[in-house]
């Protein structure tokens, strides 16, 4: 029997029995973890209110054996709130749908339980903090999160130099299969010709240039979101269910 302590973001919850839940978290030290929280669905449980999606929590786990991830699910025995991001997200539809897509993305990119994914964890914490504070438009925060999630998982797109030969940009064509912008010599079937404004926006979101991103015209924002969605779909091999509800 072993005790483990970690901090994490609650990704989702599932009902278990009459009063329990299975809580899925993305933690700093152990990556994605599923744990059973007993009694949290009872109306008098203060413990359960801390384990809702979007919550940043400090959690104690109780596991059989010397490893947190073993033959059975560990128990979540204690939880303390670090930051209740859900309070600034669930009351606004645009923020809620964008945040839900961010949680789903983080879970999809951490498909092996117990494997640390520190960069993805820090990216999610920062993204939810920005979303909850309302510092930028929710769809821009989401697209920035999606692009950076792709980057930290080895799928960084190019929005200027040719993704195949490295020719300096700007380049006219864009191919999700080739890795982003491609020159005329490297273009492949299915390449599209996006506007320069959309590519500039996506480059700004990837690098954190919010001054450029916030000033971008709505038509470029919509076009850029379409490219991000297609690029993410290609690398995940199937789309995010929550993206269909996101306001553009």
């Amino acid at each position: 029997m072993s005790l483990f302590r970690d901090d994490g973001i609650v990704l989702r919850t599932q009902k278990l029995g009459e009063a329990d839940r299975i809580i899925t978290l993305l933690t700093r030290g152990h990556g994605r973890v599923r744990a059973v929280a007993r009694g949290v669905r009872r109306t008098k449980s203060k413990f359960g209110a801390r384990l809702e999606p979007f919550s940043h929590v400090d959690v104690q786990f109780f596991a059989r054996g010397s490893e947190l991830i073993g033959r059975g699910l560990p128990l979540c025995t204690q939880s303390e709130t670090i930051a209740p991001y859900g309070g600034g997200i669930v009351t606004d539809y645009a923020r809620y749908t964008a945040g839900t897509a961010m949680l789903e993305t983080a879970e999809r990119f951490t498909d092996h339980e117990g494997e640390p994914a520190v960069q993805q964890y820090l990216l999610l914490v920062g993204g939810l903090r920005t979303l909850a504070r309302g510092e930028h438009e929710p769809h821009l925060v989401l697209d920035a999160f999606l692009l950076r999630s792709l980057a930290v998982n080895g799928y960084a797109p190019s929005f200027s130099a040719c993704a195949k030969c490295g020719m300096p940009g700007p380049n006219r064509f864009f191919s999700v299969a080739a890795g982003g912008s491609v020159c005329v010599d490297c273009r492949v079937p299915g390449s599209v010709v996006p506007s320069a404004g959309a590519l500039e926006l996506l480059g700004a979101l990837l690098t954190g240039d919010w001054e450029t991103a916030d000033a971008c015209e709505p038509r470029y924002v919509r076009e850029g979101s379409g490219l991000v969605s297609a690029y993410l779909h290609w690398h995940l091999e199937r789309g995010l269910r929550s993206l269909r509800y996101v306001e553009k």
Side-chain angles (χ1 to χ4, degrees):
M1 304 294 183
S2 303
L3 288 176
F4 299 86
R5 198 168 196 96
D6 208 341
D7 56 270
I9 296 287
V10 179
L11 300 179
R12 63 187 175 98
T13 65
Q14 299 167 267
K15 293 181 179 180
L16 180 66
E18 295 183 358
D20 305 336
R21 278 198 178 112
I22 297 176
I23 312 295
T24 302
L25 306 102
L26 179 57
T27 67
R28 179 189 294 269
H30 298 88
R32 185 164 61 88
V33 174
R34 290 190 308 145
V36 175
R38 290 180 174 169
V40 296
R41 288 166 54 204
R42 296 192 179 100
T43 55
K44 295 182 179 180
S45 174
K46 296 181 180 179
F47 180 42
R50 301 174 191 144
L51 293 174
E52 292 294 331
F54 306 113
S55 295
H56 188 195
V57 290
D58 180 357
V59 187
Q60 179 175 278
F61 301 103
F62 177 80
R64 295 180 179 180
S66 60
E67 301 291 335
L68 177 59
I69 306 301
R71 289 174 295 178
L73 295 179
L75 296 179
C76 179
T77 57
Q78 184 178 340
S79 173
E80 298 294 336
T81 300
I82 297 174
Y85 295 131
I89 293 176
V90 299
T91 55
D92 181 87
Y93 180 80
R95 294 184 195 175
Y96 175 74
T97 52
T100 300
M102 291 164 67
L103 297 184
E104 185 181 353
T105 300
E107 185 170 3
R108 291 282 296 278
F109 274 122
T110 54
D111 53 353
H112 297 294
E113 291 188 33
E115 292 186 3
V118 179
Q119 287 183 299
Q120 185 69 66
Y121 164 79
L122 294 175
L123 189 61
L124 182 60
V125 172
L128 293 180
R129 182 190 301 120
T130 301
L131 194 63
R133 291 176 177 174
E135 297 175 358
H136 308 283
E137 290 295 326
H139 52 271
L140 291 178
V141 177
L142 172 60
D143 284 343
F145 176 81
L146 296 178
L147 289 172
R148 296 178 196 180
S149 292
L150 285 159
V152 300
N153 285 280
Y155 307 117
S158 172
F159 297 117
S160 181
C162 178
K164 298 189 73 174
C165 72
M167 176 182 289
N171 287 290
R172 290 187 58 204
F173 302 96
F174 187 92
S175 168
V176 294
S181 294
V182 288
C183 65
V184 64
D185 294 327
C186 295
R187 63 174 176 170
V188 295
S191 297
V192 297
V193 184
S195 63
L199 292 179
E200 182 183 13
L201 168 64
L202 296 182
L205 292 175
L206 183 59
T207 59
D209 180 2
W210 285 105
E211 184 178 356
T212 298
D214 289 335
C216 195
E217 295 182 30
R219 56 177 174 155
Y220 297 142
V221 173
R222 290 190 295 270
E223 184 181 1
S225 291
L227 292 176
V228 173
S229 179
Y231 195 84
L232 182 73
H233 182 96
W234 173 269
H235 288 287
L236 288 180
E237 297 182 352
R238 56 190 172 95
L240 299 177
R241 290 175 297 176
S242 49
L243 270 186
R244 71 187 69 172
Y245 304 109
V246 175
E247 290 185 335
K248 299 295 185 182

